[in-house]
Amino acid sequence: MFVDPGHGGSDTGARSPHGWCEKEVNLLQAREIVSALERAGFRTALTRTDDSFPALYDRPKRAIAERADLFISIHHNAA
């Protein structure tokens, strides 16, 4: 399973009413999801593990290359 915390790097995404950048919340949520999936026995990978910006088309290409069964893209917008 591939988990993609949307945005990253200079692409901050939306900003919440409380001042959070979407890229930060997406990464936090993605780490929690990966942790839960791994505890359940799934093999997982993140498209990014830090404040980087993998190219948009490289994200699904990497999942396909590694034969992922599922691709989860995390976005919170301004929620």
Side-chain angles (χ1 to χ4, degrees):
M1 291 189 196
F2 256 72
V3 180
D4 175 36
H7 304 288
S10 62
D11 179 6
T12 62
R15 186 168 295 276
S16 79
H18 303 290
W20 283 83
C21 288
E22 182 181 1
K23 68 178 183 175
E24 297 164 349
V25 179
N26 293 345
L27 185 55
L28 290 170
Q29 183 74 59
R31 287 178 177 156
E32 289 296 321
I33 290 169
V34 163
S35 179
L37 289 170
E38 288 177 348
R39 283 194 309 271
F42 291 95
R43 186 178 62 94
T44 65
L46 286 158
T47 57
R48 67 181 182 93
T49 58
D50 58 12
D51 188 19
S52 60
F53 183 82
L56 293 179
Y57 291 107
D58 289 344
R59 298 173 191 221
K61 281 182 185 177
R62 191 169 149 221
I64 291 166
E66 295 194 29
R67 302 178 54 94
D69 294 321
L70 186 65
F71 186 92
I72 301 169
S73 183
I74 307 297
H75 287 271
H76 285 83
N77 300 319

